[in-house]
Amino acid sequence: VYAAGYNGKIYAYNSDSLAVRWVYPREGFLNPLVGGVAIGDGMVYIGGTDGVLYALAAETGDLQWTFVTENEIWATPAVDEDTIYFGSFDEKFYAVNADDGSKRWEFETAGAMVSEPLLDNGTVYFGSLDKNLYALDTASGQIRWSFTGENWFWARPVMYEGDIYAACM
């Protein structure tokens, strides 16, 4: 079980006993962590209010790499095979290589992103505080479509029977 706290710590617990397996960082604290952790292929990913996406080894909690943005990250990342997707308060949505943290592509909006994106069949869906819901091609970052709502898109969109549902504030 993995959890992150506003106290700037990331925790791994044994799922059977709830005993602490590891804590990151081992000493000191990160800036507050608002979003949740994402797990994929033996790694734990989380963005911080310091604008850094952290990649930790799930087994040990050892830092593997970081990716730095220009502003806070509140959004929980989404993992799809070898790519991590997330938005930032720098008004950019990123696709990052899961192996080494190198940037695959970025897409600029006119507002911050605060929710976990939805991945489905080669498309990544996410809302922005610019009042738009976006659908991008996962490989290229090219826009497939966007929809303008009456207010911010704060929550993660969901898909049901091929339709996208997204709460707009």
Side-chain angles (χ1 to χ4, degrees):
V1 177
Y2 302 95
Y6 196 75
N7 66 351
K9 293 279 193 180
I10 304 164
Y11 303 90
Y13 299 97
N14 181 298
S15 61
D16 294 327
S17 66
L18 293 182
V20 175
R21 289 181 41 221
W22 54 258
V23 177
Y24 182 86
R26 285 153 179 69
E27 294 182 19
F29 301 89
L30 302 174
N31 283 13
L33 301 165
V34 176
V37 297
I39 310 299
D41 199 26
M43 299 287 284
V44 176
Y45 305 97
I46 188 164
T49 58
D50 57 1
V52 177
L53 179 71
Y54 295 89
L56 308 173
E59 185 66 29
T60 63
D62 293 335
L63 181 66
Q64 302 301 296
W65 53 259
T66 60
F67 179 84
V68 179
T69 69
E70 297 173 19
N71 210 322
E72 298 182 23
I73 303 170
W74 286 16
T76 299
V79 181
D80 186 27
E81 296 179 16
D82 62 350
T83 306
I84 313 305
Y85 300 92
F86 67 98
S88 171
F89 269 71
D90 66 5
E91 301 181 349
K92 294 176 184 170
F93 187 84
Y94 296 94
V96 175
N97 183 310
D99 293 330
D100 62 12
S102 60
K103 181 171 60 175
R104 294 190 189 272
W105 53 259
E106 70 181 40
F107 178 83
E108 192 162 349
T109 70
M113 286 131 289
V114 297
S115 68
E116 180 181 357
L118 169 67
L119 295 163
D120 183 68
N121 199 28
T123 303
V124 58
Y125 304 91
F126 63 93
S128 173
L129 301 189
D130 69 1
K131 302 181 182 179
N132 288 298
L133 179 68
Y134 294 95
L136 305 181
D137 178 80
T138 56
S140 67
Q142 295 297 307
I143 190 164
R144 291 192 172 170
W145 55 261
S146 67
F147 171 80
T148 302
E150 293 182 21
N151 209 327
W152 299 344
F153 285 93
W154 191 280
R156 179 181 186 262
V158 295
M159 180 175 286
Y160 179 72
E161 295 184 357
D163 293 324
I164 300 292
Y165 296 87
C168 177
M169 296 196 56

